[in-house]
Amino acid sequence: MDIENRQDRTEPVKAVLERARSVLILTGAGISAESGVPTFRGGGGAAVWRGMPFEQLSSAEMVEQNLPLVWEWFDYRRGVVKGCEPNAGHLAIAEAQQSGRFEEFTLVTQNIDGLHRVAGSQDAIELHGDIHKAKCLSCGSLQALDDVGDDERPPVCSECFDSMRPHVVLFGEALDEDALLKAYERAAACDVCIVVGTSAQVYPAMHVPEIAKREGAFLIEVNLEETPLTPKADVSLFGKAGEILPLLLRTENEDR
Ligand code: BJW
Ligand code: ZN
């Protein structure tokens, strides 16, 4: 796909956005790639750590079998994220929300890195949890890892003294029902759905844009490559999220 005329390609889509009342943006790992956070898939490859594929490490089975290894994996990942800053894509999304130009604005993310929050986005629906928190295996209470510290693995719950695990949704685990329902409801009600940097392969998050489209939303995809969502999208913009989103979301006044 020709990406040279990116500005020309975004102009007609900006016109759609100008008429939009309710906008929903779904993000995936690709939006944080330009910040230095590795993606899981894409470009034909899949993430591997110490010779193990991420599907094996980030799984409900691994929590049962080897919780210390799961902590090592997520402490390593948290270390990577700590050195990363939000990029122009995160910032453009936060600015679109702060501008108040849309009556309703919903950000749904599959990312656990917290970079949308650092960029200034508010009330993002974090479908897969938050790498900066731990969750008690028994009572489910949450604690910020900054408060827990790095010494004790697994950390001990301050409420019931059982072990804690990373507060992330792993393969084979259910997503938070309220978060998922809210994402589905907002998807059903939006006029424009923008899907950024996701391979759109992981259930159930992949249903969010499908619902939006089914209920009549204009579907825009921003990605480096084609995904299973591409045939359903009204427009696919191929290129880096950090380059395309500022062009797409900034209004004339904000354009620099
Ligand atoms: C750029 C870019 C740039 C790069 N600019 N773009 C068979 C069929 C159907 C379903 C299943 C199945 N077998 C198993 C399942 C279920 C499974 C699933 O969907 N698997 C599929 C992979 C097949 N799902 C689950 O297990 C879910 N739970 C569940 O089903 O529960 C059932 C249940 C119900 C009730 C009770 C109990 C159980 C849970 C899924 C949770 C996923 N969690 C993970 C790991 C989180 C922790 C961690 O970080 O390790 O979440 S998996 C991983 O994938 C992570 C991501 O959030 C998620 C989505 O990935 P994403 O964001 O799409 O990233 P990538 O890397 O895939 O793609 C990046 C994209 O960006 C690429 O397209 C690039 O081109 C692009 N890109 N740079 C723009 N600069
Ligand atoms: Zn507890």
Side-chain angles (χ1 to χ4, degrees):
M1 171 68 66
D2 174 30
I3 56 167
E4 285 193 318
N5 299 321
R6 200 169 288 150
Q7 187 113 32
D8 294 349
R9 299 252 307 133
T10 52
E11 284 310 320
V13 190
K14 284 180 83 143
V16 173
L17 275 168
E18 265 160 37
R19 295 191 296 272
R21 193 192 64 78
S22 170
V23 171
L24 180 142
I25 301 185
L26 171 70
T27 63
I31 195 166
S32 295
E34 290 157 73
S35 294
V37 184
T39 62
F40 301 92
R41 311 169 192 83
V48 170
W49 181 69
R50 291 196 191 159
M52 281 170 282
F54 79 92
E55 293 98 325
Q56 198 181 333
L57 292 157
S58 291
S59 69
E61 289 81 32
M62 197 55 90
V63 170
E64 301 262 311
Q65 287 164 12
N66 197 343
L67 186 56
L69 182 71
V70 172
W71 271 109
E72 265 191 78
W73 162 233
F74 282 98
D75 280 337
Y76 160 73
R77 303 260 305 280
R78 209 157 44 90
V80 172
V81 168
K82 247 186 194 153
C84 297
E85 301 279 338
N87 63 57
H90 297 105
L91 294 172
I93 292 174
E95 284 167 22
Q97 180 181 34
Q98 284 158 10
S99 73
R101 58 189 273 234
F102 304 111
E103 236 171 80
E104 206 163 86
F105 185 93
T106 307
L107 174 60
V108 182
T109 187
Q110 298 168 85
N111 298 347
I112 59 174
D113 57 33
L115 289 178
H116 283 300
R117 198 166 32 247
V118 180
S121 287
Q122 284 165 10
D123 304 323
I125 302 175
E126 294 179 317
L127 288 179
H128 292 165
D130 180 350
I131 199 171
H132 304 289
K133 290 182 184 157
K135 183 178 178 180
C136 177
L137 288 171
S138 288
C139 72
S141 71
L142 297 177
Q143 248 171 289
L145 279 165
D146 278 350
D147 300 340
V148 170
D150 292 335
D151 299 337
E152 200 171 29
R153 289 294 180 265
V156 172
C157 174
S158 58
E159 302 288 321
C160 76
F161 307 107
D162 197 0
S163 296
M164 301 187 92
R165 53 164 287 174
H167 175 46
V168 292
V169 184
L170 305 172
F171 281 118
E173 295 181 335
L175 278 65
D176 179 84
E177 206 175 316
D178 290 344
L180 188 61
L181 272 180
K182 194 168 167 190
Y184 283 173
E185 277 168 17
R186 296 287 180 87
C190 73
D191 316 315
V192 176
C193 175
I194 308 175
V195 182
V196 186
T198 173
S199 57
Q201 286 177 21
V202 176
Y203 165 88
M206 62 194 245
H207 289 329
V208 171
E210 289 172 354
I211 291 171
K213 179 69 189 165
R214 193 186 65 208
E215 298 301 321
F218 189 88
L219 187 56
I220 303 166
E221 180 182 43
V222 179
N223 202 305
L224 293 182
E225 59 189 22
E226 289 195 6
T227 74
L229 198 63
T230 308
K232 294 176 191 158
D234 292 289
V235 175
S236 290
L237 298 169
F238 294 108
K240 291 184 176 178
E243 292 172 7
I244 292 177
L245 289 177
L247 288 175
L248 194 62
L249 293 172
R250 290 207 174 118
T251 56
E252 293 306 310
N253 296 340
E254 295 163 329
D255 279 342
R256 353 191 155 149

